[in-house]
Amino acid sequence: MTSSDQRIEFLEEQQEALLMQNKVLATALKGLLRALPADIAELATESIRLAFDHEVAQMEYEENPQVELFHDATYAFFHEREH
């Protein structure tokens, strides 16, 4: 195996680990929201949406090249939450 192949394999493993960490955090947050009384969960969810909207706006203002990725991940989180 060449060093390039090893590097690609390492990066793929790191990406998988990050994806799993993100899934763990999203699952924990969803569980926390489910544990709250409905009215508080609704307020918390709205607060989270506003925080994400603010972050997207900030990233757009800074012309961050990852703003679309953040937006897509945010949409996926709330889409999964609603199902």
Coordinates of all heavy atoms in Angstrom, one line a residue:
M1 N 0.8 -1.2 0.0 CA 0.0 0.0 0.0 C 0.9 1.2 0.0 O 1.8 1.4 0.8 CB -0.9 0.0 1.2 CG -1.9 1.1 1.3 SD -3.0 1.1 2.7 CE -4.2 -0.1 2.2
T2 N 0.6 2.2 -0.9 CA 1.4 3.4 -1.0 C 1.0 4.4 0.1 O 0.0 4.2 0.7 CB 1.2 4.1 -2.4 OG1 -0.1 4.6 -2.4 CG2 1.5 3.1 -3.5
S3 N 1.9 5.3 0.3 CA 1.6 6.3 1.3 C 0.3 7.1 1.0 O -0.4 7.5 1.9 CB 2.7 7.3 1.6 OG 3.0 8.1 0.4
S4 N 0.0 7.3 -0.3 CA -1.2 8.0 -0.7 C -2.4 7.2 -0.4 O -3.4 7.7 0.1 CB -1.2 8.3 -2.2 OG -0.2 9.2 -2.6
D5 N -2.3 5.9 -0.6 CA -3.4 5.0 -0.2 C -3.7 5.0 1.3 O -4.8 5.0 1.7 CB -3.2 3.6 -0.7 CG -3.2 3.4 -2.2 OD1 -3.8 4.3 -2.9 OD2 -2.6 2.5 -2.7
Q6 N -2.6 5.0 2.0 CA -2.7 5.0 3.5 C -3.3 6.3 4.0 O -4.1 6.3 4.9 CB -1.3 4.8 4.1 CG -0.7 3.4 4.0 CD 0.7 3.3 4.5 OE1 1.5 4.3 4.4 NE2 1.1 2.2 4.9
R7 N -2.9 7.4 3.3 CA -3.5 8.7 3.7 C -5.0 8.8 3.4 O -5.8 9.2 4.2 CB -2.7 9.8 2.9 CG -3.2 11.2 3.2 CD -2.7 11.7 4.5 NE -3.1 13.1 4.6 CZ -3.5 13.7 5.7 NH1 -3.5 13.0 6.8 NH2 -3.9 14.9 5.8
I8 N -5.4 8.2 2.2 CA -6.8 8.2 1.9 C -7.6 7.4 2.9 O -8.6 7.7 3.3 CB -7.0 7.7 0.4 CG1 -6.5 8.8 -0.5 CG2 -8.4 7.4 0.1 CD1 -6.4 8.4 -2.0
E9 N -7.0 6.2 3.2 CA -7.7 5.3 4.1 C -7.8 6.0 5.5 O -8.9 5.9 6.2 CB -6.9 4.0 4.3 CG -7.6 3.0 5.2 CD -6.8 1.7 5.2 OE1 -6.3 1.2 4.2 OE2 -6.8 1.1 6.3
F10 N -6.8 6.7 6.0 CA -6.8 7.4 7.2 C -7.9 8.5 7.2 O -8.7 8.6 8.1 CB -5.4 8.0 7.5 CG -5.4 9.0 8.7 CD1 -5.4 8.5 10.0 CD2 -5.5 10.3 8.5 CE1 -5.4 9.3 11.1 CE2 -5.5 11.2 9.6 CZ -5.5 10.7 10.9
L11 N -7.9 9.3 6.1 CA -8.9 10.3 6.0 C -10.3 9.8 5.9 O -11.3 10.3 6.5 CB -8.6 11.2 4.7 CG -7.4 12.0 4.8 CD1 -7.1 12.7 3.5 CD2 -7.5 13.1 5.9
E12 N -10.5 8.6 5.3 CA -11.8 8.0 5.2 C -12.3 7.6 6.6 O -13.4 7.7 7.0 CB -11.8 6.8 4.3 CG -11.8 7.3 2.8 CD -11.6 6.1 1.9 OE1 -11.2 5.0 2.3 OE2 -11.9 6.3 0.6
E13 N -11.3 7.0 7.4 CA -11.6 6.6 8.8 C -12.0 7.8 9.6 O -12.9 7.7 10.5 CB -10.4 5.8 9.4 CG -10.2 4.4 8.7 CD -9.0 3.8 9.2 OE1 -8.2 4.4 10.0 OE2 -8.7 2.7 8.7
Q14 N -11.2 8.9 9.5 CA -11.5 10.1 10.3 C -12.9 10.7 9.9 O -13.6 11.1 10.8 CB -10.4 11.1 10.0 CG -9.1 10.7 10.6 CD -9.1 10.5 12.1 OE1 -9.6 11.3 12.9 NE2 -8.7 9.3 12.5
Q15 N -13.2 10.6 8.6 CA -14.5 11.1 8.2 C -15.6 10.3 8.8 O -16.6 10.8 9.3 CB -14.6 11.1 6.7 CG -16.0 11.6 6.2 CD -16.2 11.5 4.7 OE1 -15.4 10.8 4.0 NE2 -17.2 12.2 4.2
E16 N -15.5 9.0 8.8 CA -16.5 8.1 9.4 C -16.6 8.4 10.9 O -17.7 8.4 11.4 CB -16.1 6.6 9.1 CG -16.3 6.2 7.7 CD -15.8 4.8 7.5 OE1 -15.7 4.0 8.5 OE2 -15.7 4.4 6.3
A17 N -15.5 8.6 11.6 CA -15.5 8.9 13.0 C -16.3 10.2 13.3 O -17.1 10.3 14.2 CB -14.1 8.9 13.6
L18 N -16.0 11.2 12.5 CA -16.7 12.5 12.6 C -18.2 12.4 12.4 O -19.0 13.0 13.1 CB -16.1 13.6 11.7 CG -14.7 14.1 12.2 CD1 -14.1 15.0 11.1 CD2 -14.8 14.9 13.5
L19 N -18.5 11.7 11.3 CA -19.9 11.5 11.0 C -20.6 10.8 12.2 O -21.8 11.2 12.6 CB -20.1 10.7 9.7 CG -19.8 11.4 8.4 CD1 -19.8 10.4 7.3 CD2 -20.7 12.6 8.2
M20 N -20.0 9.8 12.8 CA -20.6 9.1 13.9 C -20.7 10.0 15.1 O -21.7 10.0 15.8 CB -19.8 7.8 14.2 CG -20.5 6.9 15.2 SD -22.2 6.4 14.6 CE -21.9 5.6 13.1
Q21 N -19.7 10.8 15.4 CA -19.7 11.7 16.5 C -20.9 12.7 16.3 O -21.6 13.0 17.3 CB -18.4 12.5 16.6 CG -17.3 11.7 17.1 CD -15.9 12.4 17.1 OE1 -15.9 13.6 16.6 NE2 -14.9 11.8 17.6
N22 N -21.1 13.2 15.1 CA -22.2 14.1 14.8 C -23.5 13.4 15.0 O -24.5 14.0 15.5 CB -22.1 14.7 13.4 CG -21.0 15.7 13.3 OD1 -20.5 16.2 14.3 ND2 -20.5 15.9 12.1
K23 N -23.6 12.2 14.6 CA -24.8 11.4 14.8 C -25.1 11.2 16.3 O -26.3 11.3 16.7 CB -24.7 10.1 14.1 CG -26.0 9.3 14.0 CD -25.9 8.1 13.1 CE -27.2 7.5 12.8 NZ -28.2 8.3 12.0
V24 N -24.1 10.9 17.1 CA -24.3 10.8 18.5 C -24.8 12.1 19.1 O -25.7 12.1 19.9 CB -22.9 10.3 19.2 CG1 -23.0 10.5 20.7 CG2 -22.6 8.9 18.8
L25 N -24.2 13.2 18.8 CA -24.6 14.5 19.3 C -26.0 14.8 18.9 O -26.8 15.3 19.7 CB -23.6 15.6 18.9 CG -22.3 15.5 19.5 CD1 -21.3 16.5 18.8 CD2 -22.3 15.7 21.0
A26 N -26.4 14.6 17.6 CA -27.7 14.9 17.2 C -28.7 14.0 17.9 O -29.8 14.4 18.3 CB -27.8 14.6 15.7
T27 N -28.4 12.7 18.1 CA -29.3 11.8 18.8 C -29.5 12.2 20.2 O -30.6 12.2 20.8 CB -28.7 10.4 18.8 OG1 -28.6 10.0 17.4 CG2 -29.6 9.4 19.5
A28 N -28.4 12.7 20.9 CA -28.5 13.1 22.3 C -29.4 14.4 22.4 O -30.3 14.5 23.2 CB -27.1 13.5 22.8
L29 N -29.2 15.3 21.4 CA -30.0 16.5 21.4 C -31.5 16.2 21.2 O -32.4 16.7 21.8 CB -29.5 17.5 20.4 CG -30.3 18.8 20.3 CD1 -30.3 19.6 21.6 CD2 -29.6 19.7 19.2
K30 N -31.8 15.3 20.2 CA -33.2 14.9 20.0 C -33.8 14.2 21.2 O -34.9 14.5 21.5 CB -33.2 14.0 18.8 CG -32.9 14.7 17.5 CD -32.8 13.7 16.3 CE -32.2 14.3 15.1 NZ -32.0 13.3 14.0
G31 N -33.0 13.4 21.9 CA -33.5 12.7 23.1 C -33.8 13.7 24.2 O -34.8 13.6 24.9
L32 N -32.9 14.7 24.3 CA -33.2 15.8 25.3 C -34.4 16.5 25.0 O -35.2 16.8 25.9 CB -31.9 16.7 25.3 CG -32.1 17.9 26.3 CD1 -32.2 17.4 27.7 CD2 -30.8 18.8 26.1
L33 N -34.6 16.9 23.7 CA -35.8 17.6 23.4 C -37.1 16.8 23.6 O -38.1 17.3 24.1 CB -35.8 18.1 21.9 CG -34.8 19.2 21.6 CD1 -34.7 19.4 20.1 CD2 -35.1 20.4 22.3
R34 N -37.0 15.5 23.4 CA -38.2 14.6 23.6 C -38.5 14.5 25.1 O -39.6 14.3 25.5 CB -37.9 13.2 23.0 CG -38.3 13.1 21.6 CD -38.3 11.6 21.1 NE -37.1 10.9 21.2 CZ -36.1 10.9 20.3 NH1 -36.3 11.5 19.2 NH2 -35.0 10.2 20.5
A35 N -37.5 14.6 25.9 CA -37.7 14.5 27.4 C -38.3 15.7 28.0 O -38.8 15.6 29.1 CB -36.3 14.2 28.1
L36 N -38.3 16.8 27.3 CA -38.8 18.1 27.8 C -40.3 18.1 27.7 O -40.9 17.5 26.8 CB -38.2 19.3 27.1 CG -36.8 19.5 27.2 CD1 -36.3 20.6 26.3 CD2 -36.4 19.8 28.7
P37 N -41.0 18.8 28.6 CA -42.5 19.0 28.4 C -42.7 19.7 27.0 O -41.8 20.4 26.5 CB -42.9 20.0 29.5 CG -41.8 19.8 30.5 CD -40.6 19.4 29.8
A38 N -43.8 19.4 26.4 CA -44.0 19.8 25.0 C -43.9 21.3 24.8 O -43.2 21.7 23.8 CB -45.4 19.4 24.5
D39 N -44.4 22.1 25.7 CA -44.3 23.6 25.5 C -42.8 24.0 25.6 O -42.4 24.9 24.8 CB -45.2 24.3 26.5 CG -44.8 24.1 27.9 OD1 -44.3 23.0 28.2 OD2 -45.1 24.9 28.8
I40 N -42.1 23.5 26.5 CA -40.6 23.9 26.6 C -39.8 23.3 25.4 O -39.0 24.0 24.9 CB -40.1 23.4 28.0 CG1 -40.8 24.1 29.1 CG2 -38.6 23.6 28.0 CD1 -40.4 23.6 30.5
A41 N -40.2 22.1 25.0 CA -39.5 21.5 23.8 C -39.7 22.4 22.6 O -38.8 22.6 21.8 CB -39.9 20.1 23.6
E42 N -40.9 22.9 22.4 CA -41.2 23.8 21.3 C -40.4 25.0 21.4 O -39.8 25.5 20.4 CB -42.7 24.1 21.3 CG -43.1 24.8 20.0 CD -44.6 25.0 20.0 OE1 -45.4 24.2 20.5 OE2 -45.0 26.1 19.4
L43 N -40.3 25.7 22.6 CA -39.5 26.9 22.7 C -38.0 26.6 22.5 O -37.4 27.4 21.8 CB -39.7 27.4 24.1 CG -41.0 28.1 24.4 CD1 -41.1 28.4 25.9 CD2 -41.2 29.3 23.6
A44 N -37.6 25.5 23.0 CA -36.2 25.1 22.8 C -35.9 24.9 21.3 O -34.8 25.3 20.8 CB -35.8 23.8 23.6
T45 N -36.8 24.2 20.6 CA -36.6 23.9 19.2 C -36.6 25.2 18.4 O -35.7 25.4 17.5 CB -37.7 23.0 18.7 OG1 -37.6 21.7 19.4 CG2 -37.5 22.7 17.2
E46 N -37.4 26.1 18.7 CA -37.5 27.4 18.1 C -36.2 28.2 18.3 O -35.6 28.8 17.4 CB -38.7 28.2 18.5 CG -38.8 29.5 17.7 CD -38.9 29.4 16.2 OE1 -39.5 28.3 15.7 OE2 -38.5 30.3 15.5
S47 N -35.7 28.1 19.6 CA -34.5 28.8 19.9 C -33.3 28.2 19.1 O -32.4 29.0 18.6 CB -34.2 28.7 21.4 OG -33.0 29.3 21.7
I48 N -33.3 26.9 19.0 CA -32.2 26.3 18.2 C -32.3 26.7 16.7 O -31.3 27.0 16.1 CB -32.3 24.7 18.3 CG1 -32.0 24.3 19.8 CG2 -31.4 24.0 17.3 CD1 -32.3 22.9 20.1
R49 N -33.5 26.7 16.2 CA -33.7 27.2 14.8 C -33.2 28.6 14.6 O -32.5 28.9 13.6 CB -35.2 27.1 14.4 CG -35.7 25.8 14.1 CD -37.2 25.9 13.6 NE -37.9 24.7 13.7 CZ -38.0 23.8 12.7 NH1 -37.5 24.1 11.5 NH2 -38.7 22.7 12.9
L50 N -33.5 29.5 15.5 CA -33.0 30.8 15.4 C -31.5 30.9 15.5 O -30.9 31.7 14.8 CB -33.7 31.7 16.5 CG -35.2 32.0 16.4 CD1 -35.7 32.7 17.6 CD2 -35.4 32.8 15.1
A51 N -30.9 30.1 16.4 CA -29.5 30.1 16.5 C -28.8 29.6 15.2 O -27.8 30.1 14.8 CB -29.0 29.2 17.7
F52 N -29.4 28.6 14.6 CA -28.9 28.1 13.4 C -29.0 29.1 12.3 O -28.1 29.3 11.5 CB -29.6 26.8 13.0 CG -29.1 25.6 13.7 CD1 -29.9 24.4 13.7 CD2 -27.9 25.5 14.4 CE1 -29.5 23.3 14.4 CE2 -27.5 24.4 15.1 CZ -28.3 23.3 15.1
D53 N -30.2 29.8 12.2 CA -30.4 30.9 11.2 C -29.4 32.0 11.4 O -28.8 32.5 10.4 CB -31.8 31.4 11.3 CG -32.9 30.5 10.9 OD1 -32.6 29.5 10.2 OD2 -34.1 30.7 11.2
H54 N -29.1 32.3 12.6 CA -28.1 33.3 12.9 C -26.7 32.9 12.4 O -26.0 33.7 11.8 CB -28.1 33.7 14.4 CG -27.0 34.6 14.8 ND1 -27.1 36.0 14.6 CD2 -25.8 34.4 15.4 CE1 -26.0 36.6 15.0 NE2 -25.2 35.6 15.5
E55 N -26.4 31.6 12.7 CA -25.1 31.1 12.3 C -25.0 31.1 10.7 O -23.9 31.5 10.2 CB -24.9 29.7 12.8 CG -23.5 29.2 12.6 CD -22.4 30.0 13.2 OE1 -22.6 30.6 14.2 OE2 -21.2 30.0 12.6
V56 N -26.1 30.7 10.1 CA -26.0 30.8 8.6 C -25.8 32.2 8.1 O -25.0 32.4 7.2 CB -27.3 30.2 8.0 CG1 -27.5 30.5 6.5 CG2 -27.4 28.6 8.2
A57 N -26.5 33.1 8.7 CA -26.4 34.5 8.3 C -25.0 35.0 8.5 O -24.4 35.7 7.7 CB -27.4 35.4 9.0
Q58 N -24.4 34.6 9.6 CA -23.0 35.0 10.0 C -22.0 34.4 8.9 O -21.1 35.1 8.5 CB -22.6 34.6 11.4 CG -21.3 35.0 11.8 CD -21.2 36.5 12.0 OE1 -22.1 37.2 12.3 NE2 -20.0 37.1 11.7
M59 N -22.3 33.1 8.6 CA -21.4 32.5 7.7 C -21.5 33.1 6.3 O -20.5 33.3 5.6 CB -21.7 31.0 7.6 CG -21.3 30.2 8.9 SD -21.8 28.5 8.9 CE -20.4 27.8 7.9
E60 N -22.7 33.5 5.9 CA -23.0 34.1 4.6 C -22.3 35.5 4.6 O -21.6 35.9 3.6 CB -24.4 34.3 4.3 CG -25.1 33.0 4.0 CD -26.6 33.1 3.8 OE1 -27.2 34.1 4.3 OE2 -27.2 32.2 3.3
Y61 N -22.4 36.2 5.7 CA -21.7 37.5 5.8 C -20.2 37.4 5.6 O -19.6 38.2 5.0 CB -22.1 38.2 7.1 CG -21.4 39.5 7.4 CD1 -21.8 40.7 6.8 CD2 -20.3 39.5 8.2 CE1 -21.1 41.9 7.0 CE2 -19.6 40.7 8.4 CZ -20.0 41.9 7.8 OH -19.4 43.1 8.0
E62 N -19.7 36.4 6.2 CA -18.2 36.1 6.2 C -17.8 35.4 4.9 O -16.6 35.2 4.7 CB -17.8 35.3 7.4 CG -18.0 36.0 8.7 CD -17.8 35.1 9.9 OE1 -17.6 33.8 9.7 OE2 -17.7 35.6 11.0
E63 N -18.8 35.1 4.0 CA -18.5 34.4 2.8 C -17.8 33.1 3.0 O -16.9 32.7 2.3 CB -17.8 35.3 1.8 CG -18.6 36.5 1.4 CD -17.9 37.4 0.4 OE1 -16.8 37.1 0.0 OE2 -18.4 38.5 0.1
N64 N -18.2 32.4 4.1 CA -17.7 31.1 4.4 C -18.1 30.1 3.4 O -19.2 29.9 3.1 CB -18.2 30.7 5.8 CG -17.5 29.4 6.3 OD1 -17.3 28.5 5.6 ND2 -17.2 29.4 7.6
P65 N -17.1 29.4 2.8 CA -17.4 28.5 1.7 C -18.2 27.2 2.2 O -18.7 26.5 1.3 CB -16.0 28.1 1.2 CG -15.1 28.3 2.3 CD -15.6 29.5 3.0
Q66 N -18.3 27.0 3.5 CA -19.0 25.9 4.0 C -20.5 26.2 4.4 O -21.1 25.3 5.0 CB -18.3 25.3 5.2 CG -16.9 24.7 4.7 CD -16.2 24.1 5.9 OE1 -16.2 24.6 7.0 NE2 -15.4 23.0 5.6
V67 N -20.9 27.4 4.0 CA -22.3 27.8 4.5 C -23.3 26.8 3.9 O -24.3 26.5 4.6 CB -22.6 29.2 4.1 CG1 -22.7 29.5 2.6 CG2 -23.8 29.7 4.8
E68 N -23.2 26.4 2.7 CA -24.2 25.5 2.1 C -24.2 24.1 2.8 O -25.3 23.6 3.1 CB -24.0 25.3 0.6 CG -24.4 26.4 -0.2 CD -25.9 26.8 -0.1 OE1 -26.7 25.8 -0.2 OE2 -26.2 27.9 0.0
L69 N -23.0 23.6 3.2 CA -22.9 22.4 3.9 C -23.6 22.5 5.3 O -24.3 21.7 5.7 CB -21.5 22.0 4.1 CG -21.2 20.7 4.8 CD1 -21.8 19.5 4.1 CD2 -19.7 20.5 4.9
F70 N -23.4 23.7 6.0 CA -24.0 23.9 7.3 C -25.5 24.0 7.1 O -26.2 23.4 7.9 CB -23.4 25.2 7.9 CG -24.0 25.5 9.3 CD1 -23.4 24.9 10.4 CD2 -25.1 26.3 9.4 CE1 -23.9 25.2 11.7 CE2 -25.6 26.5 10.7 CZ -25.0 26.0 11.8
H71 N -25.9 24.7 6.1 CA -27.4 24.8 5.9 C -28.0 23.5 5.6 O -29.1 23.1 6.1 CB -27.6 25.8 4.7 CG -29.1 26.0 4.4 ND1 -29.8 25.2 3.6 CD2 -29.9 27.0 4.9 CE1 -31.1 25.7 3.6 NE2 -31.1 26.7 4.4
D72 N -27.4 22.7 4.8 CA -27.9 21.3 4.4 C -28.0 20.4 5.7 O -28.9 19.7 5.9 CB -27.1 20.7 3.4 CG -27.2 21.3 2.0 OD1 -28.1 22.2 1.8 OD2 -26.4 21.0 1.1
A73 N -26.9 20.5 6.5 CA -26.9 19.7 7.7 C -28.0 20.1 8.7 O -28.6 19.3 9.4 CB -25.5 19.8 8.4
T74 N -28.2 21.5 8.8 CA -29.3 22.0 9.6 C -30.6 21.5 9.2 O -31.4 21.1 10.0 CB -29.2 23.5 9.6 OG1 -27.9 24.0 10.1 CG2 -30.3 24.1 10.5
Y75 N -30.9 21.6 7.9 CA -32.1 21.2 7.3 C -32.3 19.7 7.6 O -33.4 19.3 8.0 CB -32.2 21.4 5.8 CG -33.4 20.9 5.2 CD1 -34.6 21.6 5.2 CD2 -33.4 19.6 4.5 CE1 -35.8 21.0 4.6 CE2 -34.5 19.1 4.0 CZ -35.7 19.8 4.0 OH -36.9 19.3 3.5
A76 N -31.3 18.9 7.4 CA -31.4 17.4 7.6 C -31.7 17.2 9.1 O -32.6 16.3 9.4 CB -30.1 16.7 7.2
F77 N -31.1 17.9 10.0 CA -31.4 17.7 11.4 C -32.8 18.0 11.7 O -33.5 17.1 12.4 CB -30.5 18.6 12.3 CG -30.9 18.6 13.7 CD1 -30.4 17.5 14.5 CD2 -31.7 19.5 14.3 CE1 -30.8 17.5 15.9 CE2 -32.0 19.5 15.7 CZ -31.6 18.5 16.4
F78 N -33.4 19.1 11.3 CA -34.8 19.4 11.6 C -35.7 18.5 10.8 O -36.8 18.2 11.4 CB -35.1 20.9 11.4 CG -34.6 21.7 12.5 CD1 -33.4 22.5 12.4 CD2 -35.2 21.7 13.7 CE1 -32.9 23.3 13.4 CE2 -34.8 22.5 14.8 CZ -33.6 23.3 14.6
H79 N -35.4 18.1 9.6 CA -36.2 17.2 8.9 C -36.4 15.9 9.6 O -37.5 15.3 9.7 CB -35.7 17.0 7.5 CG -36.6 16.2 6.6 ND1 -37.8 16.6 6.2 CD2 -36.4 14.9 6.1 CE1 -38.4 15.6 5.5 NE2 -37.6 14.6 5.4
E80 N -35.2 15.3 10.1 CA -35.3 14.1 10.8 C -36.0 14.2 12.1 O -36.7 13.3 12.6 CB -33.8 13.6 11.1 CG -33.1 13.1 9.9 CD -31.7 12.7 10.3 OE1 -31.3 12.6 11.5 OE2 -30.9 12.5 9.3
R81 N -35.9 15.4 12.8 CA -36.5 15.6 14.1 C -38.1 15.6 13.9 O -38.8 15.2 14.8 CB -36.1 17.0 14.6 CG -36.9 17.6 15.7 CD -36.2 17.3 17.0 NE -36.9 18.0 18.1 CZ -37.9 17.5 18.8 NH1 -38.4 16.3 18.5 NH2 -38.5 18.1 19.8
E82 N -38.6 16.1 12.8 CA -40.0 16.2 12.6 C -40.6 14.8 12.3 O -41.8 14.7 12.2 CB -40.3 17.2 11.5 CG -39.9 18.6 12.0 CD -39.9 19.6 10.9 OE1 -40.2 19.3 9.7 OE2 -39.7 20.8 11.2
H83 N -39.8 13.8 12.0 CA -40.4 12.5 11.6 C -40.3 11.5 12.8 O -39.7 11.6 13.7 CB -39.6 11.9 10.5 CG -40.0 12.6 9.2 ND1 -39.3 13.7 8.8 CD2 -40.9 12.3 8.3 CE1 -39.9 14.1 7.6 NE2 -40.8 13.3 7.3

